[in-house]
Structure formats: C-alpha cells, structure tokens
Amino acid sequence: MSQPDFDSRISRLRETFTESGLDGVIINSIKDIYYYTGKTINRMDPGFFVVTKKTSKLFVSMLDNKLENNGATIFKSLVDVKNEIKKVKRVGFDEKNMSVLLFRKLGSSSWKPFSRQLKSIRMVKDRHEISSIKRACRITLDIFESIELNGKTEVEVSADIHN
C-alpha cells in the first residue's frame, strides 16, 4: 500500500495560503496535524503545526515528548509558539477548531480565518487516500459476500463479521 506524501500535502497547503494572500498558517486540529505530518498528537495536550512559505514546524507539549525525536519541537509554554508565529506577517488559522481562549493567547489582528480553505485541500484525495478507500471497499465487499444477511438482525450480522 502506498504511503502518504506529506511533502506534497504541505506544498498544496502553501499554494492555497499564498493564493489567499497569507504568509503562513497555524493548525491546531489533531486530525489536520496528522493529515499534514503523519504524527499523532495526544488529545489532552495542545499541538500546533506552523507552516510558512519556507518552513514547517510541529510544536508539541512536554507531555508529548515521544515526538521530539521524530522531528517535533517541544514547547514549554505558548510563548514559544507565539514567538514562532510573530515571524509571519499574515497568518491563517482554523477558526472552527481554535478556542477563543487560545486565539486570545496566540492571535493578533493580522490573523485571517482559513478553515474553509484548509478543509477544501482535504476534499481532493491523494493517491494514498484513494488506495486506502479502494482497500476498505474491497474488505467490506469480501465481508458481505462471506456472510448470510437474509433474516438476520444487525446484531447477528455484526457478530458474524467479528467472528
């Protein structure tokens, strides 16, 4: 099975924010961070992916230090993240996933909403995603061909699938 091309995904992100008149983006959704980096962020700890026209940097909390040796930067406080973002003039942010409190701690008047564009990038599936969808469809078809559905309840079908 093919592997995700994270460099290509980040390139598409850069193209999109540049077309929107931005110099960078900050992403704090763990699902979006995973999509662009392949790194799983602990749900209970904040993580940030800052992408500019030239760099990309993943920030994780000290409690997520297993990622430090895997290319992430450990931040001790939000000041570390804020200092990185200050290097960028016009910043896009995911207003649907960032809390007001977090925005107040990190944001500024130069930040622009970017949720719609961020989600639109993920609507177009790459080679890896298409391969995964096809594989899931084959597995599902194999399962349904291997079990008898007639007259069974959902619970019975579920039990057959799990056996």
Side-chain angles (χ1 to χ4, degrees), residues 37-84:
T37 68
K39 309 281 191 289
T40 302
I41 305 294
N42 184 334
R43 285 190 181 277
M44 302 311 290
D45 301 315
F48 304 94
F49 189 48
V50 178
V51 182
T52 68
K53 291 179 179 179
K54 295 181 181 175
T55 65
S56 60
K57 201 170 200 179
L58 177 61
F59 290 89
V60 295
S61 78
M62 291 185 288
L63 298 176
D64 229 348
N65 61 11
K66 69 183 181 305
L67 291 175
E68 182 176 24
N69 296 329
N70 204 358
T73 299
I74 301 294
F75 68 89
K76 293 177 178 59
S77 75
L78 290 179
V79 173
D80 296 339
V81 179
K82 190 169 186 164
N83 287 337
E84 183 72 21

Side-chain angles (χ1 to χ4, degrees), residues 5-163:
D5 183 354
F6 298 112
D7 291 336
S8 177
R9 290 177 179 182
I10 293 170
S11 291
R12 285 195 335 231
L13 177 62
R14 282 190 175 109
E15 288 171 16
T16 303
F17 72 66
T18 301
E19 289 170 1
S20 298
L22 300 171
D23 301 308
V25 294
I26 181 169
I27 298 170
N28 69 306
S29 156
I30 61 173
K31 291 178 183 178
D32 287 329
I33 290 172
Y34 180 79
Y35 177 80
Y36 288 107
T37 68
K39 309 281 191 289
T40 302
I41 305 294
N42 184 334
R43 285 190 181 277
M44 302 311 290
D45 301 315
F48 304 94
F49 189 48
V50 178
V51 182
T52 68
K53 291 179 179 179
K54 295 181 181 175
T55 65
S56 60
K57 201 170 200 179
L58 177 61
F59 290 89
V60 295
S61 78
M62 291 185 288
L63 298 176
D64 229 348
N65 61 11
K66 69 183 181 305
L67 291 175
E68 182 176 24
N69 296 329
N70 204 358
T73 299
I74 301 294
F75 68 89
K76 293 177 178 59
S77 75
L78 290 179
V79 173
D80 296 339
V81 179
K82 190 169 186 164
N83 287 337
E84 183 72 21
I85 299 167
K86 281 182 179 179
K87 300 174 188 175
V88 184
K89 187 173 182 179
R90 293 176 306 263
V91 178
F93 74 104
D94 186 355
E95 73 277 10
K96 292 184 179 176
N97 281 306
M98 186 173 288
S99 70
V100 172
L101 178 63
L102 191 55
F103 179 81
R104 286 182 178 157
K105 288 182 178 182
L106 292 173
S108 76
S109 61
S110 65
W111 283 31
K112 304 295 179 208
F114 194 69
S115 289
R116 185 179 51 78
Q117 297 93 322
L118 195 58
K119 301 307 178 210
S120 71
I121 295 168
R122 294 190 55 187
M123 286 183 198
V124 178
K125 302 302 177 202
D126 62 27
R127 188 173 292 129
H128 170 73
E129 290 170 301
I130 292 168
S131 173
S132 295
I133 292 167
K134 286 180 178 179
R135 183 171 181 262
C137 289
R138 282 192 302 274
I139 291 169
T140 302
L141 185 59
D142 289 347
I143 288 171
F144 278 112
E145 287 176 348
S146 71
I147 59 174
E148 179 64 39
L149 298 176
N150 293 338
K152 290 188 176 181
T153 66
E154 289 177 26
V155 172
E156 291 169 327
V157 170
S158 177
D160 286 347
I161 290 171
H162 286 40
N163 290 332

